[in-house]
């Protein structure tokens, strides 16, 4: 667009001055020739005059083209700048910054575009917020009856022996389902907090080795092996202890449910960056197939293998939450194949950290 405007101005200026050149020069020449005898002009004088007329016309042409080009640059800047601004704003909105708006300009033509763009974003923001509020309201409403339900189930569990056998079996199913349901509601609530942008990390200075040990101990697989690289012994990271522990717990839960039931946690410096640590959870299950590598981190998304294996444990929110938690810490998470060649999945959480020892 910029080049096109510039070309239009340049060619326009060239054409205009070319036409002027042609007329001025031919008119002057024919005038001089016509009155040559009448005025007694010498041949030399005529050619000198024509020469200087030509020189000044050439100079005028060059100046006109240059001025045309400068005007072209200025006006293409003026035209393109608001478009670049709109492109930046669209990118920011796509990245989730829904409060981005275009600044009004002093150009009424552009203002029509700015106004409708801003109105569109405002409606989009309203809609996204309404959806987020809906999920959060629903989970809030479900929370208190669920707590009552959990408390009543607890009472029944304490008197389990008094129930007939069939009653006990029914109670066990109820206990498992209430726990699953509460987990789901808590996860939904947390995810709607992310959507509303209402998550504030409670950051602490954590010793990585000690933190991983505690997180594993508090998880559903407290006996998992932890493999700590010597370079990470004094590594520290600044993070939200509860949320990062959830990340480790979710990955271990998954290793238990989808990954064959045993896991090893590896803590190593990142391969390609000096300021990051990798906390990797490896299992010996079937691994994750290629088409699922990205997809399983989406909400309510369960791997293609899950239904086949009939695991009815989760709703597919675990990894979505893991990704949100890690992203808020400025890190990344992904899944790959195990590096030692054995079958199994390797989930890597990359987090910024200090005090890694050079290896
Ligand atoms: N360790 C693993 N090995 C193989 N597949 C896994 C593993 N962890 C997760 N997955 C796949 O990713 C999907 C999404 O995981 P998640 O978000 O935790 O949901 P959920 O555990 O509720 O199914 C799972 O349904 C499963 O198919
Ligand atoms: Mg899970």
């Amino acid at each position: 667009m910029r080049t096109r405007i510039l070309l239009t101005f340049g060619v326009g200026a060239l054409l205009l001055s070319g036409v002027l050149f042609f007329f001025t020069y031919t008119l002057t020449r024919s005038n001089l020739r016509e009155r040559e005898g009448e005025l007694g002009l010498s041949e030399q004088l005529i050619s000198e005059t024509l020469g200087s007329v030509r020189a000044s016309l050439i100079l005028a042409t060059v100046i006109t083209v240059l001025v045309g080009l400068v005007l072209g640059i200025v006006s293409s800047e003026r035209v393109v700048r608001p478009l670049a601004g709109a492109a930046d704003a669209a990118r920011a909105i796509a990245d989730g910054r829904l409060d981005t708006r275009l600044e009004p300009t002093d150009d009424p033509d552009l203002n029509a575009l700015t106004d409708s763009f801003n109105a569109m974003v405002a409606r989009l923001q309203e809609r996204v917020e309404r959806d987020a509020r809906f999920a959060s309201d629903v989970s809030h409403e479900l929370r208190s009856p669920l707590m009552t339900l959990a408390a009543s189930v607890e009472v029944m569990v304490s008197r389990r022996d008094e129930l007939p056998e069939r009653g006990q079996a029914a109670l066990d199913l109820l206990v498992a389902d209430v726990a699953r349901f509460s987990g789901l509601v808590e996860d939904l609530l947390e995810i709607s907090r992310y959507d509303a942008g209402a998550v504030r990390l409670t950051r602490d200075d954590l010793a990585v080795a000690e933190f991983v040990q505690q997180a594993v101990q508090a998880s559903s697989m407290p006996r998992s092996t932890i493999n700590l690289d010597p370079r990470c012994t004094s590594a520290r990271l600044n993070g939200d202890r509860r949320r990062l522990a959830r990340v480790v717990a979710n990955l271990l839960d998954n290793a238990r449910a989808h990954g064959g039931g045993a896991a090893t946690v590896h803590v190593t410096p990142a391969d390609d960056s000096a300021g990051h640590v990798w906390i990797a959870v490896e299992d010996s299950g079937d691994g994750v197939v290629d088409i699922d590598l990205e997809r399983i981190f989406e909400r309510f998304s369960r791997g293609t293998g899950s239904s086949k294996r009939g695991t009815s444990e989760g709703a597919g929110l675990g990894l979505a939450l893991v990704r949100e938690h890690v992203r808020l810490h400025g890190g990344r998470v992904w899944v790959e194949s195990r590096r030692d060649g054995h079958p199994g999945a390797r989930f890597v959480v990359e987090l910024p950290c200090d005090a890694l020892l050079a290896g």
Side-chain angles (χ1 to χ4, degrees):
M1 173 131 175
R2 212 184 283 256
T3 356
R4 218 174 291 164
I5 295 175
L6 211 61
L7 256 167
T8 314
F9 269 83
V11 171
L14 196 65
L15 273 178
L16 192 67
S17 44
V19 169
L20 278 175
F21 186 111
F22 177 76
F23 279 117
T24 318
Y25 187 76
T26 40
L27 276 179
T28 314
R29 196 176 50 184
S30 61
N31 245 348
L32 281 176
R33 294 265 177 242
E34 238 169 55
R35 306 173 70 181
E36 197 177 352
E38 181 187 330
L39 295 173
L41 298 171
S42 73
E43 184 62 31
Q44 195 195 353
L45 189 66
I46 291 177
S47 62
E48 270 175 21
T49 316
L50 282 179
S52 62
V53 166
R54 197 167 47 221
S56 31
L57 282 176
I58 289 178
L59 188 68
T61 308
V62 171
I63 292 175
T64 318
V65 171
L66 284 181
V67 168
L69 284 179
V70 169
L71 280 179
I73 291 175
V74 171
S75 43
S76 68
E77 253 326 291
R78 276 187 72 97
V79 173
V80 168
R81 199 182 309 135
L83 289 182
D88 285 346
R91 217 168 297 128
I93 290 160
D95 285 345
R97 275 166 282 153
L98 288 174
D99 51 356
T100 311
R101 295 291 182 276
L102 288 178
E103 294 292 331
T105 59
D106 48 9
D107 183 333
D109 293 332
L110 273 179
N111 274 347
L113 179 73
T114 311
D115 287 349
S116 49
F117 184 91
N118 286 347
M120 175 194 76
V121 181
R123 271 207 299 280
L124 186 71
Q125 182 178 21
E126 199 178 296
R127 202 168 172 156
V128 167
E129 282 172 1
R130 201 176 51 211
D131 287 352
R133 252 196 329 270
F134 177 74
S136 128
D137 290 350
V138 169
S139 349
H140 261 298
E141 288 303 316
L142 288 176
R143 215 178 183 190
S144 37
L146 248 181
M147 271 150 89
T148 318
L149 197 62
S152 320
V153 168
E154 198 112 325
V155 173
M156 285 163 78
V157 168
S158 67
R159 305 184 147 213
R160 188 172 183 277
D161 296 341
E162 297 169 24
L163 293 173
E165 205 164 304
R166 284 180 62 183
Q168 288 185 358
L171 180 62
D172 292 344
L173 286 178
L174 190 61
V175 168
D177 266 1
V178 167
R180 195 169 97 84
F181 199 11
S182 312
L184 176 63
V185 167
E186 289 304 323
D187 283 354
L188 265 179
L189 209 55
E190 182 83 341
I191 256 185
S192 59
R193 278 191 212 113
Y194 272 102
D195 285 348
V199 172
R200 298 279 168 270
L201 295 181
T202 328
R203 283 186 183 266
D204 277 321
D205 181 41
L206 307 174
V208 175
E210 183 197 357
F211 157 73
V212 171
Q213 202 169 10
Q214 286 173 355
V216 170
Q217 253 156 31
S219 76
S220 62
M221 294 215 293
R223 287 177 193 287
S224 306
T225 315
I226 300 172
N227 204 324
L228 179 72
D229 188 295
R231 287 168 289 173
C232 297
T233 39
S234 51
R236 307 192 74 83
L237 67 82
N238 188 265
D240 186 317
R241 186 187 289 276
R242 183 183 70 80
R243 291 203 164 87
L244 289 180
R246 254 337 291 146
V247 167
V248 176
N250 275 350
L251 293 181
L252 286 172
D253 279 349
N254 280 350
R256 189 168 55 88
H258 315 290
T264 312
V265 183
H266 297 268
V267 182
T268 56
D271 269 359
D272 45 3
S273 146
H276 289 87
V277 66
W278 281 354
I279 301 173
V281 176
E282 286 186 8
D283 60 47
S284 322
D286 297 339
V288 177
V289 291
D290 274 357
I291 49 163
D292 281 343
L293 292 179
E294 277 295 322
R295 220 174 52 89
I296 51 174
F297 289 94
E298 284 162 22
R299 294 168 187 193
F300 294 109
S301 148
R302 309 182 55 202
T304 34
S306 292
S307 45
K308 191 179 69 202
R309 269 176 249 144
T311 29
S312 61
E313 231 183 72
L317 281 176
L319 288 176
L321 267 178
V322 164
R323 187 166 66 177
E324 299 283 9
H325 288 325
V326 173
R327 198 186 279 162
L328 211 60
H329 281 85
R332 298 186 295 147
V333 57
W334 67 93
V335 58
E336 58 191 24
S337 310
R338 275 174 60 164
R339 296 191 162 186
D340 54 10
H342 291 283
R346 171 180 155 94
F347 284 84
V348 187
V349 174
E350 178 181 275
L351 292 168
C353 81
D354 305 325
L356 278 175
L357 302 179

